[in-house]
Amino acid sequence: MTALVRLRLAAFLRTGRALAPLLAGLLALGVLYGGGRAQPGEAYGVSAVVLFPVLAWQTKILLDVEPDVQRRLALVLAGAAREWAAGLLAALVAGLGTTVVALVFPWLVGGVTSQVGPDGRSVAAGVALGVWAHLLALPAAVALGALASRAVTGSAGYGVAVLALGAVGSLVLGLSSSVAPWLAPPVLPVARATAAGPSAATVAVLTGWAVAWSATLLAGYAWRRRVRV
Amino acid sequence: MRWEGVWLRYHRRGPWVLREADLRLGAGEAAVVLGRNGVGKSTLLQLAAGVLRPARGRVVDRPRHVGWVPERFPADQPFTVGRYLAGMARVAGLGGAEADRAVLRWTERLGLTRFHGVRLPELSKGTAQKVGLAQALLRRPGLLILDEPWEGLDATARELVPTLIDEVLAAGGSVLVSDHRGETARLPGAARWTVADGTVTAQAPADASPEAFVVVELAVPVARAAGTVARLRADGHHVLRVRGTPPTPPGAATSAVDASEAAGRAPR
């Protein structure tokens, strides 16, 4: 399976399609951190929110680079389950790369401060919260991007619609006044928690929520891929 | 491999492309899929490969290793021939050294050696088709599926296809080939599956019995005709007739011998 992961990552990088989402991500981060220095925990929470649609888009691009027939050839050689898993894993690896860029970026441009803030939280604790926020957003974004991929939607138009509705819906339903917050991945609740300083119980609930949401979408992906190859 | 009441359509309310197909293909057997354009030949092959799933019914006992050569090789990929085939060998589960050996063997056999460092989008259609053939053969397939394999290939490679099929059959594999140009006349031992209006009619190989004969036409230089006839007779073949100069090969005075290939048996 690692062979297929490598092949797909290589195709993603060599065709230059990796550039567009990376630039979009950097642009969003530039706007985010352009306003001055912030506490790491708070800033990283917002960074995970703006990165969520970028990571989903990046996943869709990565999965769509491969021609349909090549995807089927890989499926015949590796087996269906391995072919699906390899695509998701490649997207996860690429997403981790973007996440690392997002975590390092504010330190390079002076977007975060290393001084202890008024709430008395240490910089290390803030960074740890930021890593947690990004790691929760990544699988949810990969799952959404996978559901928007051409292998599932069959046409470019539907794919973009799924991606846009999913990303916008996740943000709108995640607002604190939302009527159905559980329908969305907890990217905005996580951002609010990192800003306020979450309790252990909050961290556990939000983690469980993100895992359950991602697992549900991935199950939907696997179910659709059983019929559509 | 068996097909049990297989139905397929592409959309929930779309027309049925295949209706209740019951077929079987044993080890060491080949079948040729025939039918007009767009009748569902490729669909049938993709069901066999496991690329499509039946809407109803099932395909069972599919060999573990399947090699599928699609009708058009997807050449729009940012790899060289060598890198692509090495990657596909690893995807097929071959180890590093094993994968390298398989790539070397098949690039040589299919005449792809000088294209090793060429990027896939730069290949001609026929050369790309050979890469498609190579990726299916890197790991010896228990089921080889060829979708119009002769399309775009040069004469040398066209001659090679029946040999490759024979090798898979001899190793106990099965082969499924689609063809709309009559090239499969070269596979006299294969069953005929005819697709029409969503139904598949299977017809056993016309000449499956060991008693069956085919006519092999030979061209030999005139001077050696008598000796050849004598040798063929000594080998147990039944020579039907010797006729005058055929058009080929140019420049050489030859004579044609029709020998009935009897696999060492006495003639009918």
Side-chain angles (χ1 to χ4, degrees), chain A residues 3-4 6-7 10-11 14-15 17 65-67 69-70 72-78 80 84 225-227 229, chain B residues 46 49-53 66-70 72-74 76-80 83-84 87-88 90-92 135 139:
Chain A
L4 192 49
R6 280 215 302 272
L7 209 60
R14 284 185 194 195
T15 50
R17 312 245 171 108
V65 164
E66 200 172 43
V69 175
Q70 174 58 29
R72 292 173 194 149
L73 285 174
L75 183 139
V76 167
L77 287 186
W84 306 342
R225 287 296 314 272
R226 276 178 58 80
V227 239
V229 180
Chain B
Q46 291 187 46
V51 163
L52 291 176
R53 274 167 190 274
V66 179
W68 173 49
V69 182
R72 281 188 210 95
F73 177 75
D76 185 19
Q77 300 186 66
F79 303 114
T80 61
R83 168 82 174 86
Y84 174 78
M88 288 303 266
R90 302 298 293 267
V91 170
Q135 63 78 29
R139 180 183 61 183

Side-chain angles (χ1 to χ4, degrees), chain B residues 4-259:
Chain B
E4 298 176 347
V6 171
W7 295 64
L8 185 117
R9 58 181 166 191
Y10 282 104
H11 305 288
R12 187 160 295 181
R13 269 183 281 276
W16 290 105
V17 181
L18 284 177
R19 282 191 299 266
E20 203 165 6
D22 285 294
L23 300 159
R24 70 182 305 285
L25 186 65
E29 288 177 11
V32 177
V33 181
L34 302 165
R36 287 182 295 109
N37 287 343
V39 83
K41 296 194 293 286
S42 289
T43 304
L44 191 73
L45 296 189
Q46 291 187 46
L47 275 164
V51 163
L52 291 176
R53 274 167 190 274
R56 295 183 206 160
R58 55 188 192 148
V59 180
V60 291
D61 297 339
R62 181 183 292 120
R64 193 157 153 258
H65 295 165
V66 179
W68 173 49
V69 182
E71 195 177 357
R72 281 188 210 95
F73 177 75
D76 185 19
Q77 300 186 66
F79 303 114
T80 61
V81 171
R83 168 82 174 86
Y84 174 78
L85 288 177
M88 288 303 266
R90 302 298 293 267
V91 170
L94 298 181
E98 217 181 344
D100 290 345
R101 271 202 305 279
V103 172
L104 195 68
R105 169 153 190 253
W106 286 105
T107 44
E108 269 175 16
R109 267 198 90 179
L110 293 167
L112 286 169
T113 310
R114 68 198 175 89
F115 296 102
H116 196 270
V118 178
R119 289 162 60 88
L120 293 176
E122 290 160 18
L123 297 177
S124 72
K125 188 186 170 207
T127 314
Q129 197 61 20
K130 286 185 194 172
V131 178
L133 257 172
Q135 63 78 29
L137 293 161
L138 290 167
R139 180 183 61 183
R140 185 180 283 286
L143 169 64
L144 179 63
I145 299 168
L146 302 163
D147 202 344
E148 307 280 353
W150 288 279
E151 212 59 32
L153 291 184
D154 53 36
T156 325
R158 264 213 295 278
E159 293 300 327
L160 189 58
V161 172
T163 316
L164 300 176
I165 291 175
D166 270 349
E167 284 172 12
V168 172
L169 294 176
S174 316
V175 178
L176 204 50
V177 197
S178 79
D179 175 34
H180 74 270
R181 303 206 319 180
E183 291 270 2
T184 39
R186 297 156 191 254
L187 306 172
R192 298 272 183 279
W193 292 3
T194 310
V195 190
D197 298 328
T199 55
V200 188
T201 322
Q203 194 188 348
D207 301 317
S209 76
E211 311 285 330
F213 292 82
V214 291
V215 174
V216 178
E217 288 193 307
L218 308 170
V220 293
V222 172
R224 282 163 51 195
T228 307
V229 168
R231 252 197 325 282
L232 285 169
R233 286 206 168 115
D235 284 347
H237 301 302
H238 175 43
V239 177
L240 295 174
R241 65 176 179 140
V242 178
R243 61 186 156 83
T245 317
T248 54
T254 53
S255 142
V257 177
D258 277 359

Side-chain angles (χ1 to χ4, degrees), chain A residues 4 7 18-19 24 40 61 65-66 81 85 94 99 108 111 114 120 154 158 161 166 173 194:
Chain A
L4 192 49
L7 209 60
L19 272 176
I61 290 178
V65 164
E66 200 172 43
T99 302
L108 301 180
S114 54
Y158 281 132
L173 290 171
T194 53

Side-chain angles (χ1 to χ4, degrees), chain A residues 23-37 43 46-47 50 105 109 111:
Chain A
L23 288 177
L26 286 176
L27 192 69
L29 292 172
V31 171
L32 176 64
Y33 291 111
R37 289 174 187 274
V46 183
S47 150
V50 301
F105 182 82
V109 299

